[in-house]
């Protein structure tokens, strides 16, 4: 049995049950990247440790990013179902422990464990789709997973606020338990995957080294100059560790059979520049999003729920710009303008955020949030497209995961670095504003840093000073991020705008919105994109184009029916197409002597077989044209096979029948 036929095994009911469980798992992992932000001010007030606020986010990001390559390859080698169940269990254990955490160090450690499981949920759920559905439908079904990321971007801040206001911040984590248990039960009962283990020479050393280097640098960025002096033995030791780890990583990757990040990719200018820009976009995006809820709740006294509502202009701006830029690129083939313009708009958005204060109105805040989101959204889609267009087919999968990996690391750095800026500036402002001011019993700079909830009970003259300090401390975060984004703007100008291959003009939301790296093989990435592009123009246009390319004067419905009876020996009675459409197409085929009907069975004639072959060849040629220079004489065999399979499936499947 071939891989493609094996994927057709599940019944429709079992398929949707399995997909629902996968969507639930991915929903939980994606939600935990956004739901925590609006709960952070309350968590800090309850557990203390404002200077460690950033690590609640950073720990999750680092763990989910570092584990991504291992989850993907271990799933190939030992079975994705078992690994997916393992990821759910790890994620649920981490969620339960986060809910019972009694201090910030505990919460940070448990968030790291939760992130390990969350990274596996995202990687494996998208990979399992390729096991369950044939290539022609992968784009459509994986589009559902992309929609999940868009939904969690909107729902996360709102749900986080609702739980804090009406239950407890601990329910931000407890909510995962019943939903995850349902997903685990459904996966165990109905998910049956074809057993096709693929051996890998897993780059454990490279994975460990890149995680160690990133972790050491993030710790330095987070604690250097605050908890530890810059010339302390801790900072110097971590810097030496990071430098040695980087040298060792380069040596390991040069020798690895399947490197985590092939160093040869950095010889491609577009890849290197896009990775640098992606790092900065992740830096600004998550650095900004983490501290905006604190600004709304502490400075403006907005409830956690309403703070989530106030963030919607930013989320909608991000999603609108991300989707719109992808569509414009698909229609025009021009893409360089978006990273250039997007980084400039992001810098403007950060400047507008810096100018907000305790007196800013809802309209000013909403417009500033929207501009920031629009700028980020214009860059997200393009970086993936540009990298995919710049590399050879064999590097398509690893290059895509590479650029999203740098975005993830940038997000972790952004939260950590800007967290240090926030706590340093806030402590300085509070100390300056309250110097010589008599404070109520039990109130001090340290108490105001550890518990923002106490601000509301302060006398008016003191409360105003404290709120101003918080406002300036948070908005300084955005000011410090501007030079970094300006650097990304400068890096966008040298990008070379090569004409886009047709096959890279179908970006996936799951590659652009979330911070986690995407992990697909080159073949799976290509199958997803081709299946989207092949049906994007509509089924009627699809078959009309096939007929023109094959020089056949047939209606779209007749083309569909001829290919279907050629492929499946189908009869009109066994299709779900409207009766009048089937009757008209049958009459046209019989009139052209392309098919005969004996005892209710429609069968292609010899001439019908020849015409069907030409139609199928035309479909394969259309798909091959989308691949551009990848479709050369030395193309890989798996790419030839993929085009053949997609050509056959898209040529006559029930799912792709034209409407009347």
């Amino acid at each position: 049995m071939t891989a493609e036929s094996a994927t057709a095994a599940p019944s429709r009911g079992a398929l949707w049950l399995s997909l629902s469980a996968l969507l639930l798992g991915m929903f939980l992992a994606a939600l935990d990247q956004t739901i925590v932000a609006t709960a952070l001010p309350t968590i800090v007030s309850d557990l203390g440790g404002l200077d460690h606020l950033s690590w609640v986010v950073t720990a999750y990001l680092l763990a989910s990013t570092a584990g991504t390559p291992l989850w993907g390859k271990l799933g190939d080698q030992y079975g994705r179902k078992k690994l997916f169940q393992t990821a759910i269990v790890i994620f649920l254990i981490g969620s339960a422990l986060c809910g019972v955490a009694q201090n910030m160090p505990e919460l940070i450690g448990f968030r790291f464990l939760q992130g390990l499981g969350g990274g596996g949920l995202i990687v494996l759920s998208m990979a399992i789709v390729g096991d369950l559905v044939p290539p022609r439908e992968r784009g459509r079904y994986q589009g559902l997973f992309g929609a999940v990321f868009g939904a969690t971007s909107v729902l996360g801040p709102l749900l986080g606020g609702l739980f804090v206001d009406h239950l407890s911040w601990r329910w931000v984590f407890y909510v995962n338990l019943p939903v995850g248990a349902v997903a685990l039960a459904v996966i165990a009962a109905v998910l049956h995957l074809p057993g096709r283990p693929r051996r890998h020479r897993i780059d454990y050393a490279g994975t460990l080294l890149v995680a160690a280097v990133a972790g050491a640098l993030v710790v330095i960025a987070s604690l250097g100059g605050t908890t530890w002096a810059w010339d302390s033995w801790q900072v110097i030791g971590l810097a030496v560790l990071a430098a040695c780890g980087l040298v060792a990583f380069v040596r390991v990757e040069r020798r690895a059979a399947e490197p985590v990040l092939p160093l040869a990719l950095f010889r491609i200018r577009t890849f290197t520049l896009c990775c640098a820009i992606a790092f900065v976009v992740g830096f600004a995006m998550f650095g900004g999003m983490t501290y905006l809820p604190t600004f709304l709740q502490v400075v403006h006294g907005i409830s956690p729920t309403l703070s989530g509502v106030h963030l919607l202009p930013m989320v909608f701006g991000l999603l609108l710009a991300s989707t719109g830029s992808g569509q414009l690129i698909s229609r025009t083939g021009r893409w360089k303008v978006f990273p250039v313009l997007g980084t400039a708009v992001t810098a403007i958005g950060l400047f507008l955020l810096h100018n907000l204060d305790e007196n800013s109105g809802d309209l000013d805040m909403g417009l500033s949030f929207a501009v920031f989101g629009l700028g980020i959204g214009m860059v997200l889609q393009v970086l993936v497209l540009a990298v995919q267009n710049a590399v050879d087919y064999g590097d398509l999968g690893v290059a895509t995961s590479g650029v999203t990996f740098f975005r993830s690391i940038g997000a972790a750095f952004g939260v950590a670095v800007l967290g240090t800026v926030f706590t340093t500036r806030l402590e300085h402002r509070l100390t300056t504003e309250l110097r010589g001011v008599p404070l109520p019993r039990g109130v001090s700079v340290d108490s105001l840093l550890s518990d923002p909830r106490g601000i509301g009970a302060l006398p008016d003259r003191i409360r105003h000073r404290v709120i101003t300090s918080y406002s300036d401390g948070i908005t300084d975060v955005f000011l410090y991020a501007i030079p970094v984004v300006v650097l990304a703007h400068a890096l966008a100008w040298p990008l070379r705008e090569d004409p886009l291959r047709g096959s890279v003009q179908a970006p996936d939301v799951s590659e652009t919105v979330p911070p986690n790296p995407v992990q697909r093989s080159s073949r799976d990435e290509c199958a997803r994109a081709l299946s989207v592009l092949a049906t994007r123009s509509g089924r009627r246009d699809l078959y009309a184009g096939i007929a023109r390319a094959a020089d056949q004067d047939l209606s779209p419905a007749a083309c569909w029916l001829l290919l279907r009876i050629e492929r499946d020996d189908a009869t009109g009675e066994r299709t779900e197409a409207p009766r009048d459409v089937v009757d008209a197409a049958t009459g046209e085929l019989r009139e052209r002597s392309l098919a005969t009907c004996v005892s209710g069975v429609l069968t292609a004639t010899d001439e019908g077989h020849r015409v069907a072959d030409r139609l199928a060849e035309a479909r394969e040629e259309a798909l091959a044209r989308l691949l551009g220079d990848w479709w050369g004489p030395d193309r890989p065999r798996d790419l030839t096979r993929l085009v053949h399979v997609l050509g056959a499936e898209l040529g006559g499947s029930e799912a792709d029948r034209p409407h009347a």
Side-chain angles (χ1 to χ4, degrees):
M1 180 180 292
T2 66
E4 287 74 13
S5 62
T7 59
S11 67
R12 195 163 188 82
L15 173 62
W16 278 108
L17 275 175
S18 298
L19 288 174
S20 298
L22 294 175
L23 286 167
L24 279 177
M26 174 171 279
F27 177 82
L28 292 176
L31 189 68
D32 264 77
Q33 297 166 352
T34 57
I35 196 174
V36 172
T38 47
L40 278 177
T42 306
I43 293 174
V44 169
S45 294
D46 196 12
L47 300 182
L50 184 67
D51 54 339
H52 294 143
L53 177 149
S54 62
W55 275 97
V56 179
V57 179
T58 301
Y60 189 96
L61 289 173
L62 279 178
S64 59
T65 300
T68 294
L70 289 182
W71 283 116
K73 291 187 176 180
L74 289 173
D76 286 345
Q77 192 158 308
Y78 298 110
R80 294 191 180 111
K81 178 177 178 177
K82 292 179 181 178
L83 265 292
F84 190 74
Q85 291 171 311
T86 302
I88 293 178
V89 171
I90 293 174
F91 181 81
L92 295 183
I93 292 174
S95 298
L97 292 174
C98 285
V100 300
Q102 298 302 306
N103 52 58
M104 288 295 279
E106 284 185 7
L107 180 60
I108 291 167
F110 298 149
R111 279 284 284 173
F112 188 88
L113 179 64
Q114 190 189 31
L116 284 176
L121 290 179
I122 292 177
V123 172
L124 293 169
S125 58
M126 288 193 290
I128 290 172
V129 175
D131 292 330
L132 292 176
V133 299
R136 72 168 183 271
E137 297 181 356
R138 287 179 191 173
R140 178 174 61 170
Y141 284 109
Q142 286 178 333
L144 295 175
F145 291 83
V148 166
F149 286 108
T152 56
S153 299
V154 176
L155 291 176
L158 296 177
L159 289 177
L162 284 170
F163 286 135
V164 170
D165 280 340
H166 299 287
L167 293 170
S168 161
W169 65 262
R170 299 182 185 276
W171 277 94
V172 167
F173 304 107
Y174 289 152
V175 70
N176 296 329
L177 302 181
V179 180
V182 170
L184 193 61
V186 173
I187 289 294
V190 303
L191 181 62
H192 302 288
L193 300 178
R196 300 192 303 273
R198 178 185 169 193
R199 303 297 299 178
H200 286 285
R201 296 180 64 181
I202 300 176
D203 185 13
Y204 291 107
T207 302
L208 178 62
L209 285 169
V210 75
V213 171
L217 293 176
V218 168
V219 171
I220 292 173
S222 180
L223 302 182
T226 54
T227 303
W228 300 328
W230 286 114
D231 58 352
S232 65
W233 68 266
Q234 294 97 330
V235 170
I236 295 173
L238 284 172
V240 171
L241 175 64
C244 293
L246 183 60
V247 172
F249 175 75
V250 171
R251 295 187 63 181
V252 166
E253 295 304 277
R254 284 176 175 171
R255 300 175 182 177
E258 298 182 33
V260 173
L261 192 61
L263 300 180
L265 288 175
F266 290 99
R267 298 173 187 162
I268 303 172
R269 184 176 68 174
T270 298
F271 177 80
T272 303
L273 290 173
C274 284
C275 286
I277 297 170
F279 180 93
V280 173
V281 168
F283 185 104
M285 179 180 174
F286 265 76
M289 292 174 67
T290 299
Y291 296 99
L292 284 176
T294 303
F295 176 81
L296 291 167
Q297 293 176 38
V298 175
V299 177
H300 282 265
I302 295 172
S303 70
T305 301
L306 287 180
S307 70
V309 175
H310 277 74
L311 290 174
L312 289 181
M314 179 185 66
V315 174
F316 287 137
L318 188 152
L319 295 176
L320 177 65
S322 180
T323 304
S325 61
Q327 291 178 347
L328 286 173
I329 291 168
S330 297
R331 293 175 183 175
T332 66
R334 306 302 297 270
W335 56 269
K336 181 178 176 178
V337 64
F338 293 102
V340 172
L341 183 61
T343 49
V345 173
T346 301
I348 294 171
L350 287 168
F351 180 74
L352 294 175
L353 293 176
H354 167 66
N355 286 329
L356 297 177
D357 57 29
E358 64 272 22
N359 299 314
S360 299
D362 291 346
L363 180 60
D364 288 341
M365 291 191 292
L367 288 175
S368 300
F369 297 166
V371 171
F372 178 67
L374 285 169
I376 294 290
M378 278 192 278
V379 186
L380 288 176
Q381 294 272 30
V382 182
L383 298 177
V384 174
L385 295 182
V387 164
Q388 290 180 337
N389 193 59
V391 300
D392 294 333
Y393 167 76
D395 292 325
L396 176 61
V398 71
T400 303
S401 63
V403 72
T404 51
F405 171 83
F406 275 93
R407 188 178 67 222
S408 304
I409 295 297
F413 267 86
V415 176
V417 172
L418 297 182
T420 300
V421 172
F422 169 51
T423 54
T424 302
R425 300 299 296 169
L426 176 59
E427 185 174 6
H428 172 73
R429 300 265 183 179
L430 284 173
T431 302
T432 302
E433 288 287 338
L434 299 180
R435 183 178 292 120
V437 177
L439 299 175
R441 183 184 299 272
V443 176
S444 65
V445 171
D446 289 340
S447 69
L448 293 171
L449 285 171
S450 63
D451 187 1
R453 287 180 302 186
I455 297 173
L458 295 173
D460 289 345
R461 61 186 178 83
I462 299 177
R463 184 172 66 250
H464 176 72
R465 291 171 179 262
V466 173
I467 288 177
T468 300
S469 298
Y470 262 91
S471 176
D472 292 343
I474 295 172
T475 55
D476 280 352
V477 164
F478 309 122
L479 180 65
Y480 277 75
I482 291 175
V484 184
V485 176
V486 170
L487 174 62
H489 178 71
L491 291 174
W493 282 103
L495 286 170
R496 187 172 57 204
E497 189 175 39
D498 297 323
L500 287 178
R501 297 182 185 90
S503 57
V504 303
Q505 295 186 29
D508 183 9
V509 176
S510 65
E511 293 172 340
T512 55
V513 174
N516 290 79
V518 174
Q519 193 76 19
R520 294 192 185 108
S521 68
S522 295
R523 186 184 188 280
D524 288 341
E525 185 64 53
C526 203
R528 182 205 59 78
L530 289 180
S531 66
V532 171
L533 290 165
T535 56
R536 175 174 284 177
S537 61
R539 292 162 183 153
R540 181 181 295 276
D541 292 343
L542 171 71
Y543 290 98
I546 293 175
R548 287 194 301 272
D551 198 24
Q552 298 297 317
D553 184 20
L554 290 173
S555 67
C559 287
W560 166 75
L561 187 58
L562 181 59
L563 284 166
R564 182 165 169 78
I565 62 177
E566 173 73 6
R567 177 172 176 260
D568 298 329
D569 193 27
T571 66
E573 286 74 9
R574 284 187 285 165
T575 72
E576 298 176 4
R579 186 70 260 171
D580 58 336
V581 173
V582 174
D583 287 343
T586 300
E588 183 177 353
L589 293 179
R590 294 179 66 183
E591 181 181 343
R592 302 287 185 89
S593 299
L594 299 177
T596 60
C597 189
V598 179
S599 302
V601 177
L602 193 64
T603 306
T605 63
D606 290 342
E607 178 62 19
H609 286 304
R610 285 191 288 270
V611 171
D613 287 342
R614 287 199 291 272
L615 292 173
E617 289 174 5
R619 187 69 195 126
E620 288 192 24
E621 289 171 0
L623 288 171
R625 282 194 297 273
L626 293 173
L627 298 172
D629 58 340
W630 287 344
W631 193 256
D634 56 346
R635 60 183 178 269
R637 294 176 62 183
D638 72 322
L639 190 57
T640 302
R641 173 63 179 162
L642 173 63
V643 169
H644 177 71
V645 170
L646 276 172
E649 290 182 342
L650 290 168
S653 66
E654 179 64 36
D656 293 306
R657 65 174 174 79
H659 296 293

